[in-house]
Amino acid sequence: MTTLFKNIKELIQVRSEPVSFVSGLEMKELPTIKNAYLVVENELISDFGSMKNCPTSNFNKVIDAKGKMMLPSWCDSHTHIVYAGNREGEFVDRINGLSYEEIAINGGGILNSAKMLQATTEEELYQQSKVRLEEVTRLGTGAVEIKSGYGLTKDAELKMLRVIKRLKENYPIEIKATFLGAHAVPTEYKNNKQGYLLMLVNDVLPTLAKENLAEYIDVFCESGYFSVADTELILEAGKKYGLIPKIHVNQFTAIGGVQSGVKYKALSVDHLEEMREEDIEVLKGTTTMPVVLPSCSYFLSIPYAPARKMIDSGLPLALATDYNPGSAPSGNMNFVVATACIKMNITPEEAINAATINGAYAMGLENEVGSITIGKQANLILTKPINSYGFIPYSYGNHQIEKVYLKGEEIV
Ligand code: NIG
Ligand code: FE
């Protein structure tokens, strides 16, 4: 099966020489080809270039993209798409004056989601979650990481991970699974956090490893949740099973979690709303990708991560949605890209790099997705007719997607 896209007004994020990720000043460069063609063969990008050199062979399908742009699908490296029910009641409580922390202390927050998830069957959880997966696919996401962490019991954590596995099997979108058992201390272990951590280490981890249910391991390293020592205990245990860290750090307080991430060679450290000089320093020259989540800052009215400062310090940066029922009930990467430009003062080039190639790296998928490169999956966004790619973040609250393709197939 071969498809030719011709007359593409601008083909964006073209990387003939593959890169793993871009950092600092490189992030300002977004390579493109104007008036371009692209060929898809057997699910992969097999050729692209200027229309001057457009091949004339017999293709199964020819799509005229006149006036439209094409870019690689968004890579969303941090989500909690598998969850049960919703928390719009807490949203109203916050409008009426309660803080996110106060709601959590009163049994709301993550514990509220855990209670709902524990009472939901695996089948029902799958049904609720697949709606969100289909929704983000239509919004241009072509690769996504999904975390557990709303189970907080052995059974419920495994239930979440099995749902993620089933989504992987049934959908063409690339999915990576992360074990986030240490997301909150469940009520039963209220006065015995160590007991909960040991249960995760001795009971849940061996089972999930046996069933091959996760690639990554995560901890909510935060005051009132899990300390740096707790985090390192979990990361150490995960290492024995080959689970690579991707951790929640510096959302509300900076307690040294970024340093632990670097020490344990985390693939990414995520959130970073509260960054000290030393947190930026320690990330320099490492293989750990800083991932920022503007929708969470928007929704909770907390500070935005200092993305501008991080890039100016030479760091790479990835953007993700954090799609979850408590702090970011939206999986819209178009909104994330726009909000990063508007509120974090980064350029469209930087934001698109952060939401494609750098997001792919933060999921270990930089060889499969995230750029227009021969041999990568044909996960593509075809825009509506637009003047320039800057219009994508400029038209915030809307999106400019006309069609999405996963492995070369149009998603309807
Ligand atoms: O990434 N910060 C920790 N976990 C989620 C939100 C959890 C929730 O409120 O349900 C996050 O923001
Ligand atoms: Fe999160």
PDB file of all heavy atoms in Angstrom, residues 377-409:
ATOM      1  N   GLN A 377       7.354   5.905  11.596  1.00  0.00           N
ATOM      2  CA  GLN A 377       5.930   5.654  11.378  1.00  0.00           C
ATOM      3  C   GLN A 377       5.268   6.861  10.716  1.00  0.00           C
ATOM      4  O   GLN A 377       5.557   7.998  11.080  1.00  0.00           O
ATOM      5  CB  GLN A 377       5.237   5.406  12.708  1.00  0.00           C
ATOM      6  CG  GLN A 377       5.514   4.028  13.250  1.00  0.00           C
ATOM      7  CD  GLN A 377       4.884   3.831  14.616  1.00  0.00           C
ATOM      8  OE1 GLN A 377       3.944   4.521  14.980  1.00  0.00           O
ATOM      9  NE2 GLN A 377       5.420   2.876  15.348  1.00  0.00           N
ATOM     10  N   ALA A 378       4.358   6.584   9.795  1.00  0.00           N
ATOM     11  CA  ALA A 378       3.634   7.666   9.124  1.00  0.00           C
ATOM     12  C   ALA A 378       2.477   8.123  10.017  1.00  0.00           C
ATOM     13  O   ALA A 378       1.309   7.923   9.711  1.00  0.00           O
ATOM     14  CB  ALA A 378       3.147   7.207   7.765  1.00  0.00           C
ATOM     15  N   ASN A 379       2.850   8.706  11.160  1.00  0.00           N
ATOM     16  CA  ASN A 379       1.868   9.308  12.074  1.00  0.00           C
ATOM     17  C   ASN A 379       1.893  10.802  11.798  1.00  0.00           C
ATOM     18  O   ASN A 379       2.859  11.482  12.166  1.00  0.00           O
ATOM     19  CB  ASN A 379       2.252   9.014  13.530  1.00  0.00           C
ATOM     20  CG  ASN A 379       2.097   7.545  13.880  1.00  0.00           C
ATOM     21  OD1 ASN A 379       1.787   6.737  13.015  1.00  0.00           O
ATOM     22  ND2 ASN A 379       2.312   7.210  15.126  1.00  0.00           N
ATOM     23  N   LEU A 380       0.861  11.262  11.147  1.00  0.00           N
ATOM     24  CA  LEU A 380       0.926  12.590  10.536  1.00  0.00           C
ATOM     25  C   LEU A 380      -0.308  13.421  10.829  1.00  0.00           C
ATOM     26  O   LEU A 380      -1.415  12.891  10.972  1.00  0.00           O
ATOM     27  CB  LEU A 380       1.046  12.432   9.011  1.00  0.00           C
ATOM     28  CG  LEU A 380       2.201  11.547   8.515  1.00  0.00           C
ATOM     29  CD1 LEU A 380       1.969  11.103   7.074  1.00  0.00           C
ATOM     30  CD2 LEU A 380       3.528  12.289   8.647  1.00  0.00           C
ATOM     31  N   ILE A 381      -0.081  14.734  10.895  1.00  0.00           N
ATOM     32  CA  ILE A 381      -1.195  15.685  10.986  1.00  0.00           C
ATOM     33  C   ILE A 381      -1.227  16.452   9.670  1.00  0.00           C
ATOM     34  O   ILE A 381      -0.191  16.980   9.243  1.00  0.00           O
ATOM     35  CB  ILE A 381      -0.971  16.695  12.143  1.00  0.00           C
ATOM     36  CG1 ILE A 381      -1.037  15.990  13.502  1.00  0.00           C
ATOM     37  CG2 ILE A 381      -1.976  17.842  12.071  1.00  0.00           C
ATOM     38  CD1 ILE A 381      -0.673  16.883  14.691  1.00  0.00           C
ATOM     39  N   LEU A 382      -2.388  16.492   9.033  1.00  0.00           N
ATOM     40  CA  LEU A 382      -2.577  17.352   7.863  1.00  0.00           C
ATOM     41  C   LEU A 382      -3.447  18.512   8.335  1.00  0.00           C
ATOM     42  O   LEU A 382      -4.541  18.296   8.873  1.00  0.00           O
ATOM     43  CB  LEU A 382      -3.273  16.579   6.735  1.00  0.00           C
ATOM     44  CG  LEU A 382      -3.395  17.327   5.415  1.00  0.00           C
ATOM     45  CD1 LEU A 382      -2.018  17.604   4.795  1.00  0.00           C
ATOM     46  CD2 LEU A 382      -4.252  16.541   4.414  1.00  0.00           C
ATOM     47  N   THR A 383      -2.940  19.727   8.184  1.00  0.00           N
ATOM     48  CA  THR A 383      -3.686  20.878   8.717  1.00  0.00           C
ATOM     49  C   THR A 383      -4.783  21.318   7.750  1.00  0.00           C
ATOM     50  O   THR A 383      -4.811  20.903   6.580  1.00  0.00           O
ATOM     51  CB  THR A 383      -2.765  22.094   8.976  1.00  0.00           C
ATOM     52  OG1 THR A 383      -2.343  22.621   7.702  1.00  0.00           O
ATOM     53  CG2 THR A 383      -1.561  21.723   9.824  1.00  0.00           C
ATOM     54  N   LYS A 384      -5.637  22.183   8.241  1.00  0.00           N
ATOM     55  CA  LYS A 384      -6.561  22.901   7.365  1.00  0.00           C
ATOM     56  C   LYS A 384      -5.701  23.875   6.541  1.00  0.00           C
ATOM     57  O   LYS A 384      -4.521  24.065   6.876  1.00  0.00           O
ATOM     58  CB  LYS A 384      -7.551  23.690   8.228  1.00  0.00           C
ATOM     59  CG  LYS A 384      -8.415  22.802   9.129  1.00  0.00           C
ATOM     60  CD  LYS A 384      -9.197  23.659  10.122  1.00  0.00           C
ATOM     61  CE  LYS A 384      -9.909  22.756  11.118  1.00  0.00           C
ATOM     62  NZ  LYS A 384     -10.479  23.484  12.261  1.00  0.00           N
ATOM     63  N   PRO A 385      -6.265  24.522   5.531  1.00  0.00           N
ATOM     64  CA  PRO A 385      -5.451  25.525   4.830  1.00  0.00           C
ATOM     65  C   PRO A 385      -5.086  26.661   5.808  1.00  0.00           C
ATOM     66  O   PRO A 385      -5.977  27.270   6.404  1.00  0.00           O
ATOM     67  CB  PRO A 385      -6.389  26.036   3.725  1.00  0.00           C
ATOM     68  CG  PRO A 385      -7.413  24.956   3.567  1.00  0.00           C
ATOM     69  CD  PRO A 385      -7.596  24.359   4.927  1.00  0.00           C
ATOM     70  N   ILE A 386      -3.792  26.865   6.044  1.00  0.00           N
ATOM     71  CA  ILE A 386      -3.341  27.947   6.931  1.00  0.00           C
ATOM     72  C   ILE A 386      -2.153  28.654   6.302  1.00  0.00           C
ATOM     73  O   ILE A 386      -1.481  28.107   5.437  1.00  0.00           O
ATOM     74  CB  ILE A 386      -2.958  27.437   8.355  1.00  0.00           C
ATOM     75  CG1 ILE A 386      -1.918  26.297   8.305  1.00  0.00           C
ATOM     76  CG2 ILE A 386      -4.180  27.001   9.141  1.00  0.00           C
ATOM     77  CD1 ILE A 386      -1.386  25.861   9.669  1.00  0.00           C
ATOM     78  N   ASN A 387      -1.913  29.871   6.786  1.00  0.00           N
ATOM     79  CA  ASN A 387      -0.863  30.690   6.202  1.00  0.00           C
ATOM     80  C   ASN A 387       0.529  30.291   6.618  1.00  0.00           C
ATOM     81  O   ASN A 387       1.456  30.285   5.815  1.00  0.00           O
ATOM     82  CB  ASN A 387      -1.084  32.153   6.603  1.00  0.00           C
ATOM     83  CG  ASN A 387      -1.550  32.951   5.411  1.00  0.00           C
ATOM     84  OD1 ASN A 387      -1.211  32.621   4.268  1.00  0.00           O
ATOM     85  ND2 ASN A 387      -2.335  33.982   5.663  1.00  0.00           N
ATOM     86  N   SER A 388       0.693  30.023   7.913  1.00  0.00           N
ATOM     87  CA  SER A 388       2.012  29.648   8.423  1.00  0.00           C
ATOM     88  C   SER A 388       1.803  28.773   9.647  1.00  0.00           C
ATOM     89  O   SER A 388       0.726  28.788  10.251  1.00  0.00           O
ATOM     90  CB  SER A 388       2.816  30.886   8.809  1.00  0.00           C
ATOM     91  OG  SER A 388       2.284  31.429  10.000  1.00  0.00           O
ATOM     92  N   TYR A 389       2.856  28.023  10.048  1.00  0.00           N
ATOM     93  CA  TYR A 389       2.669  27.131  11.198  1.00  0.00           C
ATOM     94  C   TYR A 389       2.488  27.905  12.500  1.00  0.00           C
ATOM     95  O   TYR A 389       1.978  27.373  13.470  1.00  0.00           O
ATOM     96  CB  TYR A 389       3.759  26.064  11.285  1.00  0.00           C
ATOM     97  CG  TYR A 389       5.183  26.565  11.406  1.00  0.00           C
ATOM     98  CD1 TYR A 389       5.645  27.129  12.588  1.00  0.00           C
ATOM     99  CD2 TYR A 389       6.069  26.444  10.344  1.00  0.00           C
ATOM    100  CE1 TYR A 389       6.947  27.577  12.704  1.00  0.00           C
ATOM    101  CE2 TYR A 389       7.374  26.881  10.445  1.00  0.00           C
ATOM    102  CZ  TYR A 389       7.805  27.461  11.635  1.00  0.00           C
ATOM    103  OH  TYR A 389       9.097  27.905  11.744  1.00  0.00           O
ATOM    104  N   GLY A 390       2.913  29.169  12.515  1.00  0.00           N
ATOM    105  CA  GLY A 390       2.684  30.001  13.702  1.00  0.00           C
ATOM    106  C   GLY A 390       1.198  30.148  14.016  1.00  0.00           C
ATOM    107  O   GLY A 390       0.816  30.448  15.158  1.00  0.00           O
ATOM    108  N   PHE A 391       0.370  29.906  12.994  1.00  0.00           N
ATOM    109  CA  PHE A 391      -1.080  30.017  13.204  1.00  0.00           C
ATOM    110  C   PHE A 391      -1.588  28.911  14.136  1.00  0.00           C
ATOM    111  O   PHE A 391      -2.631  29.072  14.772  1.00  0.00           O
ATOM    112  CB  PHE A 391      -1.796  29.947  11.842  1.00  0.00           C
ATOM    113  CG  PHE A 391      -3.238  30.380  11.907  1.00  0.00           C
ATOM    114  CD1 PHE A 391      -3.579  31.717  12.104  1.00  0.00           C
ATOM    115  CD2 PHE A 391      -4.272  29.454  11.782  1.00  0.00           C
ATOM    116  CE1 PHE A 391      -4.916  32.115  12.169  1.00  0.00           C
ATOM    117  CE2 PHE A 391      -5.602  29.845  11.844  1.00  0.00           C
ATOM    118  CZ  PHE A 391      -5.922  31.177  12.037  1.00  0.00           C
ATOM    119  N   ILE A 392      -0.826  27.804  14.241  1.00  0.00           N
ATOM    120  CA  ILE A 392      -1.276  26.676  15.080  1.00  0.00           C
ATOM    121  C   ILE A 392      -1.389  27.119  16.550  1.00  0.00           C
ATOM    122  O   ILE A 392      -2.467  27.014  17.142  1.00  0.00           O
ATOM    123  CB  ILE A 392      -0.376  25.431  14.875  1.00  0.00           C
ATOM    124  CG1 ILE A 392      -0.501  24.944  13.411  1.00  0.00           C
ATOM    125  CG2 ILE A 392      -0.722  24.319  15.854  1.00  0.00           C
ATOM    126  CD1 ILE A 392       0.512  23.875  13.003  1.00  0.00           C
ATOM    127  N   PRO A 393      -0.300  27.647  17.165  1.00  0.00           N
ATOM    128  CA  PRO A 393      -0.474  28.133  18.544  1.00  0.00           C
ATOM    129  C   PRO A 393      -1.249  29.450  18.645  1.00  0.00           C
ATOM    130  O   PRO A 393      -1.929  29.684  19.653  1.00  0.00           O
ATOM    131  CB  PRO A 393       0.975  28.321  19.035  1.00  0.00           C
ATOM    132  CG  PRO A 393       1.810  28.433  17.811  1.00  0.00           C
ATOM    133  CD  PRO A 393       1.129  27.627  16.757  1.00  0.00           C
ATOM    134  N   TYR A 394      -1.159  30.266  17.620  1.00  0.00           N
ATOM    135  CA  TYR A 394      -1.848  31.572  17.629  1.00  0.00           C
ATOM    136  C   TYR A 394      -3.350  31.393  17.774  1.00  0.00           C
ATOM    137  O   TYR A 394      -4.007  32.112  18.531  1.00  0.00           O
ATOM    138  CB  TYR A 394      -1.485  32.270  16.316  1.00  0.00           C
ATOM    139  CG  TYR A 394      -2.263  33.504  15.954  1.00  0.00           C
ATOM    140  CD1 TYR A 394      -1.919  34.747  16.487  1.00  0.00           C
ATOM    141  CD2 TYR A 394      -3.299  33.438  15.020  1.00  0.00           C
ATOM    142  CE1 TYR A 394      -2.617  35.888  16.114  1.00  0.00           C
ATOM    143  CE2 TYR A 394      -3.996  34.570  14.643  1.00  0.00           C
ATOM    144  CZ  TYR A 394      -3.656  35.800  15.199  1.00  0.00           C
ATOM    145  OH  TYR A 394      -4.341  36.920  14.826  1.00  0.00           O
ATOM    146  N   SER A 395      -3.894  30.404  17.091  1.00  0.00           N
ATOM    147  CA  SER A 395      -5.349  30.200  17.132  1.00  0.00           C
ATOM    148  C   SER A 395      -5.705  29.318  18.330  1.00  0.00           C
ATOM    149  O   SER A 395      -6.394  28.320  18.202  1.00  0.00           O
ATOM    150  CB  SER A 395      -5.805  29.547  15.831  1.00  0.00           C
ATOM    151  OG  SER A 395      -5.152  28.295  15.662  1.00  0.00           O
ATOM    152  N   TYR A 396      -5.244  29.713  19.506  1.00  0.00           N
ATOM    153  CA  TYR A 396      -5.424  28.907  20.725  1.00  0.00           C
ATOM    154  C   TYR A 396      -6.905  28.649  21.001  1.00  0.00           C
ATOM    155  O   TYR A 396      -7.758  29.451  20.639  1.00  0.00           O
ATOM    156  CB  TYR A 396      -4.784  29.624  21.923  1.00  0.00           C
ATOM    157  CG  TYR A 396      -5.621  30.760  22.456  1.00  0.00           C
ATOM    158  CD1 TYR A 396      -6.499  30.555  23.514  1.00  0.00           C
ATOM    159  CD2 TYR A 396      -5.566  32.021  21.875  1.00  0.00           C
ATOM    160  CE1 TYR A 396      -7.300  31.580  23.985  1.00  0.00           C
ATOM    161  CE2 TYR A 396      -6.362  33.048  22.339  1.00  0.00           C
ATOM    162  CZ  TYR A 396      -7.232  32.826  23.397  1.00  0.00           C
ATOM    163  OH  TYR A 396      -8.029  33.830  23.856  1.00  0.00           O
ATOM    164  N   GLY A 397      -7.165  27.517  21.627  1.00  0.00           N
ATOM    165  CA  GLY A 397      -8.562  27.188  21.945  1.00  0.00           C
ATOM    166  C   GLY A 397      -9.261  26.552  20.758  1.00  0.00           C
ATOM    167  O   GLY A 397     -10.413  26.122  20.852  1.00  0.00           O
ATOM    168  N   ASN A 398      -8.565  26.521  19.652  1.00  0.00           N
ATOM    169  CA  ASN A 398      -9.091  25.893  18.449  1.00  0.00           C
ATOM    170  C   ASN A 398      -7.998  24.928  17.991  1.00  0.00           C
ATOM    171  O   ASN A 398      -6.953  24.852  18.601  1.00  0.00           O
ATOM    172  CB  ASN A 398      -9.297  26.984  17.392  1.00  0.00           C
ATOM    173  CG  ASN A 398     -10.355  26.600  16.403  1.00  0.00           C
ATOM    174  OD1 ASN A 398     -10.669  25.421  16.226  1.00  0.00           O
ATOM    175  ND2 ASN A 398     -10.895  27.598  15.732  1.00  0.00           N
ATOM    176  N   HIS A 399      -8.247  24.177  16.937  1.00  0.00           N
ATOM    177  CA  HIS A 399      -7.108  23.465  16.362  1.00  0.00           C
ATOM    178  C   HIS A 399      -7.194  23.544  14.853  1.00  0.00           C
ATOM    179  O   HIS A 399      -8.252  23.841  14.296  1.00  0.00           O
ATOM    180  CB  HIS A 399      -7.047  22.020  16.852  1.00  0.00           C
ATOM    181  CG  HIS A 399      -8.163  21.149  16.350  1.00  0.00           C
ATOM    182  ND1 HIS A 399      -8.215  20.717  15.055  1.00  0.00           N
ATOM    183  CD2 HIS A 399      -9.250  20.652  16.966  1.00  0.00           C
ATOM    184  CE1 HIS A 399      -9.301  19.988  14.891  1.00  0.00           C
ATOM    185  NE2 HIS A 399      -9.952  19.936  16.032  1.00  0.00           N
ATOM    186  N   GLN A 400      -6.088  23.330  14.214  1.00  0.00           N
ATOM    187  CA  GLN A 400      -6.007  23.513  12.754  1.00  0.00           C
ATOM    188  C   GLN A 400      -5.885  22.175  12.033  1.00  0.00           C
ATOM    189  O   GLN A 400      -5.368  22.106  10.931  1.00  0.00           O
ATOM    190  CB  GLN A 400      -4.806  24.424  12.425  1.00  0.00           C
ATOM    191  CG  GLN A 400      -4.923  25.810  13.028  1.00  0.00           C
ATOM    192  CD  GLN A 400      -6.243  26.472  12.656  1.00  0.00           C
ATOM    193  OE1 GLN A 400      -6.757  26.294  11.547  1.00  0.00           O
ATOM    194  NE2 GLN A 400      -6.812  27.229  13.582  1.00  0.00           N
ATOM    195  N   ILE A 401      -6.361  21.114  12.697  1.00  0.00           N
ATOM    196  CA  ILE A 401      -6.187  19.779  12.119  1.00  0.00           C
ATOM    197  C   ILE A 401      -7.353  19.433  11.188  1.00  0.00           C
ATOM    198  O   ILE A 401      -8.511  19.494  11.597  1.00  0.00           O
ATOM    199  CB  ILE A 401      -6.097  18.732  13.248  1.00  0.00           C
ATOM    200  CG1 ILE A 401      -4.856  19.019  14.094  1.00  0.00           C
ATOM    201  CG2 ILE A 401      -6.077  17.313  12.684  1.00  0.00           C
ATOM    202  CD1 ILE A 401      -4.759  18.191  15.348  1.00  0.00           C
ATOM    203  N   GLU A 402      -7.017  19.067   9.954  1.00  0.00           N
ATOM    204  CA  GLU A 402      -8.076  18.591   9.061  1.00  0.00           C
ATOM    205  C   GLU A 402      -8.155  17.076   9.103  1.00  0.00           C
ATOM    206  O   GLU A 402      -9.223  16.492   9.202  1.00  0.00           O
ATOM    207  CB  GLU A 402      -7.810  19.070   7.635  1.00  0.00           C
ATOM    208  CG  GLU A 402      -8.976  18.751   6.712  1.00  0.00           C
ATOM    209  CD  GLU A 402      -8.821  19.423   5.375  1.00  0.00           C
ATOM    210  OE1 GLU A 402      -9.104  20.643   5.298  1.00  0.00           O
ATOM    211  OE2 GLU A 402      -8.399  18.752   4.423  1.00  0.00           O
ATOM    212  N   LYS A 403      -6.991  16.444   9.062  1.00  0.00           N
ATOM    213  CA  LYS A 403      -6.981  14.970   9.077  1.00  0.00           C
ATOM    214  C   LYS A 403      -5.790  14.472   9.878  1.00  0.00           C
ATOM    215  O   LYS A 403      -4.757  15.134   9.933  1.00  0.00           O
ATOM    216  CB  LYS A 403      -6.847  14.433   7.648  1.00  0.00           C
ATOM    217  CG  LYS A 403      -8.087  14.674   6.819  1.00  0.00           C
ATOM    218  CD  LYS A 403      -8.277  13.582   5.778  1.00  0.00           C
ATOM    219  CE  LYS A 403      -9.713  13.485   5.334  1.00  0.00           C
ATOM    220  NZ  LYS A 403     -10.086  14.513   4.360  1.00  0.00           N
ATOM    221  N   VAL A 404      -5.971  13.300  10.486  1.00  0.00           N
ATOM    222  CA  VAL A 404      -4.820  12.659  11.130  1.00  0.00           C
ATOM    223  C   VAL A 404      -4.627  11.266  10.542  1.00  0.00           C
ATOM    224  O   VAL A 404      -5.604  10.598  10.176  1.00  0.00           O
ATOM    225  CB  VAL A 404      -4.932  12.603  12.674  1.00  0.00           C
ATOM    226  CG1 VAL A 404      -4.955  13.985  13.285  1.00  0.00           C
ATOM    227  CG2 VAL A 404      -6.142  11.831  13.123  1.00  0.00           C
ATOM    228  N   TYR A 405      -3.385  10.865  10.473  1.00  0.00           N
ATOM    229  CA  TYR A 405      -3.028   9.541   9.945  1.00  0.00           C
ATOM    230  C   TYR A 405      -2.170   8.828  10.985  1.00  0.00           C
ATOM    231  O   TYR A 405      -1.253   9.433  11.558  1.00  0.00           O
ATOM    232  CB  TYR A 405      -2.223   9.681   8.639  1.00  0.00           C
ATOM    233  CG  TYR A 405      -2.998  10.393   7.556  1.00  0.00           C
ATOM    234  CD1 TYR A 405      -2.982  11.785   7.479  1.00  0.00           C
ATOM    235  CD2 TYR A 405      -3.761   9.679   6.631  1.00  0.00           C
ATOM    236  CE1 TYR A 405      -3.717  12.454   6.500  1.00  0.00           C
ATOM    237  CE2 TYR A 405      -4.494  10.334   5.648  1.00  0.00           C
ATOM    238  CZ  TYR A 405      -4.469  11.723   5.591  1.00  0.00           C
ATOM    239  OH  TYR A 405      -5.196  12.379   4.631  1.00  0.00           O
ATOM    240  N   LEU A 406      -2.493   7.585  11.247  1.00  0.00           N
ATOM    241  CA  LEU A 406      -1.646   6.758  12.116  1.00  0.00           C
ATOM    242  C   LEU A 406      -1.186   5.577  11.289  1.00  0.00           C
ATOM    243  O   LEU A 406      -2.006   4.869  10.692  1.00  0.00           O
ATOM    244  CB  LEU A 406      -2.415   6.278  13.347  1.00  0.00           C
ATOM    245  CG  LEU A 406      -2.724   7.332  14.411  1.00  0.00           C
ATOM    246  CD1 LEU A 406      -3.413   6.681  15.609  1.00  0.00           C
ATOM    247  CD2 LEU A 406      -1.474   8.066  14.868  1.00  0.00           C
ATOM    248  N   LYS A 407       0.123   5.372  11.247  1.00  0.00           N
ATOM    249  CA  LYS A 407       0.715   4.331  10.393  1.00  0.00           C
ATOM    250  C   LYS A 407       0.141   4.416   8.982  1.00  0.00           C
ATOM    251  O   LYS A 407      -0.211   3.417   8.350  1.00  0.00           O
ATOM    252  CB  LYS A 407       0.503   2.958  11.008  1.00  0.00           C
ATOM    253  CG  LYS A 407       1.206   2.844  12.375  1.00  0.00           C
ATOM    254  CD  LYS A 407       1.090   1.501  13.003  1.00  0.00           C
ATOM    255  CE  LYS A 407       1.912   1.441  14.286  1.00  0.00           C
ATOM    256  NZ  LYS A 407       1.403   0.538  15.291  1.00  0.00           N
ATOM    257  N   GLY A 408      -0.004   5.644   8.517  1.00  0.00           N
ATOM    258  CA  GLY A 408      -0.446   5.888   7.156  1.00  0.00           C
ATOM    259  C   GLY A 408      -1.951   5.809   6.930  1.00  0.00           C
ATOM    260  O   GLY A 408      -2.441   6.175   5.882  1.00  0.00           O
ATOM    261  N   GLU A 409      -2.695   5.334   7.920  1.00  0.00           N
ATOM    262  CA  GLU A 409      -4.149   5.181   7.751  1.00  0.00           C
ATOM    263  C   GLU A 409      -4.863   6.410   8.295  1.00  0.00           C
ATOM    264  O   GLU A 409      -4.586   6.863   9.415  1.00  0.00           O
ATOM    265  CB  GLU A 409      -4.641   3.960   8.549  1.00  0.00           C
ATOM    266  CG  GLU A 409      -4.277   2.627   7.940  1.00  0.00           C
ATOM    267  CD  GLU A 409      -4.981   2.358   6.614  1.00  0.00           C
ATOM    268  OE1 GLU A 409      -6.210   2.557   6.547  1.00  0.00           O
ATOM    269  OE2 GLU A 409      -4.277   1.985   5.654  1.00  0.00           O
TER     270      GLU A 409
END
